Amino acid sequence: MTDVETRSDGLPILYSFRRCPYAMRTRMALSKSQTVCALREVLLRDKPAEMMVASSKGTVPVIVLSDGTIIDESLDVMLWSLGKSDPDGWLQPQRGTLDDMMALISEADGPFKTHLDRYKYGTRYPGEQALDHRAAGLVFLQQLDTILAASSYLFGDRPALADIAIFPFVRQFANTDRDWFDALSLPALQAWLAGWLGSDLFKGVMQKWPVWQTGDTEPLFPQKDAA
Ligand SMILES: N[C@@H](CCC(=O)N[C@@H](CS)C(=O)NCC(=O)O)C(=O)O
């Protein structure tokens, strides 16, 4: 197989893994923008050949548009879909700018994610002290808590791109040791996290899909009005 597979009915194909935080944030943006895709749920240990032809770096999410355009970075898919339809103004925060949001997202995707991985998957990083990375990650969470003590969301009193982009990683950090996280004094961050976890938007993107195999008919995502 050498050609990238596209759909003739105009629907994008989305390669996704339900539990991946990058794929979660992407599905939240696709859901909000009501960008209907043919969803191919993959197993990371057994990625479909069709996905590897589209993007050889082998990470999810990947979206293949019907004209053959491939977008294989989660933030780029979010920006693409919200650029087409952004009903709640996620790209135009109430406070600050898109650039300001991108700067905070880079901190989350960069240093915070590094600490998260070394905290959560300590055994994969010999010589690294998981609890040192937990402490370092906590510094970032404290910054978020300070912001959220002053406004309901990271860039004002309504949700925006940064909330969606960062939330799945805070969720992962919290879930690594939920009792420890719940005992922290980060009331604004904890309330913000609980709000996202309980949201219809998040629940809608966390439904279970069967693993896609070549030839299977894909479920449509999002289902109508899932946002
Ligand atoms: N920078 C990429 C990162 C995506 C990523 O690393 N996804 C993980 C899953 S959460 C992955 O596909 N890893 C490949 C693997 O585990 O084989 C993005 O934002 O899309």
Side-chain angles (χ1 to χ4, degrees), residues 95 141-157 185-192:
R95 181 177 56 73
L141 296 189
Q142 282 161 338
Q143 285 169 22
L144 298 186
D145 185 64
T146 302
I147 298 171
L148 291 166
S151 58
S152 308
Y153 295 94
L154 292 171
F155 285 84
D157 283 320
S185 180
L186 298 173
L189 179 79
Q190 285 154 335
W192 171 87

Side-chain angles (χ1 to χ4, degrees), residues 132-195:
D132 291 349
H133 288 286
R134 181 173 81 174
L138 178 57
V139 174
F140 181 65
L141 296 189
Q142 282 161 338
Q143 285 169 22
L144 298 186
D145 185 64
T146 302
I147 298 171
L148 291 166
S151 58
S152 308
Y153 295 94
L154 292 171
F155 285 84
D157 283 320
R158 59 174 175 76
L161 182 78
D163 297 281
I164 310 305
I166 293 172
F167 145 73
F169 298 94
V170 175
R171 171 183 176 272
Q172 224 175 38
F173 193 95
N175 284 349
T176 302
D177 181 344
R178 194 70 216 204
D179 290 341
W180 174 82
F181 180 82
D182 287 344
L184 294 169
S185 180
L186 298 173
L189 179 79
Q190 285 154 335
W192 171 87
L193 176 64

Side-chain angles (χ1 to χ4, degrees), residues 2-224:
T2 49
D3 288 345
V4 174
E5 201 190 341
T6 57
R7 302 257 309 199
S8 56
D9 59 6
L11 287 183
I13 298 172
L14 173 67
Y15 293 94
S16 181
F17 174 57
R18 180 175 170 274
R19 296 199 342 257
C20 165
Y22 299 99
M24 277 177 208
R25 69 187 186 182
T26 298
R27 294 196 304 276
M28 288 173 86
L30 292 168
S31 182
K32 178 53 69 180
S33 65
Q34 287 289 301
T35 304
V36 177
C37 304
L39 186 142
R40 295 183 173 181
E41 174 75 10
V42 311
L43 289 179
L44 294 179
R45 65 180 142 77
D46 187 19
K47 294 165 194 152
E50 292 85 347
M51 175 181 138
M52 298 306 291
V53 170
S55 175
S56 59
K57 77 184 168 81
T59 61
V60 289
V62 175
I63 200 163
V64 182
L65 308 187
S66 56
D67 68 0
T69 303
I70 289 148
I71 314 177
D72 64 3
E73 281 292 320
S74 56
L75 268 178
D76 291 340
V77 182
M78 296 171 84
L79 292 170
W80 167 76
S81 65
L82 293 167
K84 286 190 302 100
S85 171
D86 186 11
D88 292 347
W90 281 5
L91 298 182
Q92 279 139 5
Q94 191 191 43
R95 181 177 56 73
T97 64
L98 181 57
D99 283 349
D100 296 333
M101 291 200 288
M102 294 305 272
L104 190 66
I105 295 168
S106 302
E107 259 191 79
D109 283 9
F112 178 69
K113 177 71 164 77
T114 300
H115 295 309
L116 168 62
D117 286 346
R118 282 155 184 75
Y119 165 39
K120 181 174 168 61
Y121 305 111
T123 50
R124 290 188 202 165
Y125 298 95
E128 299 270 358
Q129 295 301 320
L131 292 187
D132 291 349
H133 288 286
R134 181 173 81 174
L138 178 57
V139 174
F140 181 65
L141 296 189
Q142 282 161 338
Q143 285 169 22
L144 298 186
D145 185 64
T146 302
I147 298 171
L148 291 166
S151 58
S152 308
Y153 295 94
L154 292 171
F155 285 84
D157 283 320
R158 59 174 175 76
L161 182 78
D163 297 281
I164 310 305
I166 293 172
F167 145 73
F169 298 94
V170 175
R171 171 183 176 272
Q172 224 175 38
F173 193 95
N175 284 349
T176 302
D177 181 344
R178 194 70 216 204
D179 290 341
W180 174 82
F181 180 82
D182 287 344
L184 294 169
S185 180
L186 298 173
L189 179 79
Q190 285 154 335
W192 171 87
L193 176 64
W196 284 116
L197 290 174
S199 68
D200 289 344
L201 180 64
F202 181 61
K203 288 185 201 157
V205 308
M206 291 304 281
Q207 65 177 94
K208 293 200 169 136
W209 297 274
V211 173
W212 179 83
Q213 278 164 357
T214 303
D216 287 353
T217 301
E218 301 91 342
L220 297 186
F221 174 87
Q223 289 178 335
K224 215 169 166 28

